[in-house]
Amino acid sequence: MGYVKTHLGVLTTAAVFMILSSVLQPLSLGGFIPFIDRVMVGTKITIPYKEVPVVITNLVEKINSTPRNKLLGAFIIFYILIFTLRAIFIYCQQYLMREVSQRVVRDIRNL
């Protein structure tokens, strides 16, 4: 742990990118199935639970009232944005972790 302490800032930044990429993980294609059904089939999105925050209820009502062609355009843009952000976060995390490991190995060899 003594070798890593000097590189704790880079390691912490890598951990932040790891958390950010993990937060975006649930927004994968499986999470968009109700939206895909809304766009392709035209079925309304329903919420199976009664106790849902008002923000989510309003969002679902807005999605259900949006025309399907506009919803498709918004879905494509949002999906590309989420995947791009997640890829950037993963890349930064891997780059910084590799940097920390190389610095630690360098420090050990310079003893």
Side-chain angles (χ1 to χ4, degrees):
M1 185 69 181
Y3 296 110
V4 178
K5 278 186 181 179
T6 57
H7 311 291
L8 203 54
V10 178
L11 188 63
T12 304
T13 306
V16 168
F17 281 119
M18 185 185 316
I19 291 168
L20 289 173
S21 67
S22 296
V23 166
L24 294 178
Q25 174 64 32
L27 296 177
S28 63
L29 191 57
F32 285 112
I33 289 176
F35 301 109
I36 294 171
D37 281 345
R38 173 73 180 115
V39 171
M40 299 299 175
V41 182
T43 58
K44 300 256 185 211
I45 298 174
T46 58
I47 302 173
Y49 306 105
K50 293 184 188 269
E51 297 179 11
V52 178
V54 176
V55 174
I56 294 177
T57 306
N58 291 340
L59 179 65
V60 168
E61 287 175 9
K62 183 166 177 72
I63 290 171
N64 283 335
S65 65
T66 304
R68 289 168 53 184
N69 58 351
K70 286 187 178 181
L71 201 57
L72 178 63
F75 171 74
I76 291 170
I77 291 169
F78 184 72
Y79 201 65
I80 290 171
L81 179 69
I82 292 297
F83 265 117
T84 304
L85 279 175
R86 188 160 180 265
I88 290 170
F89 292 154
I90 289 172
Y91 173 80
C92 291
Q93 181 259 330
Q94 290 176 349
Y95 177 81
L96 292 172
M97 290 298 283
R98 193 170 27 253
E99 183 70 24
V100 168
S101 67
Q102 290 175 358
R103 287 181 184 185
V104 169
V105 169
R106 184 192 65 212
D107 291 348
I108 291 172
R109 287 183 181 172
N110 288 336
L111 281 180

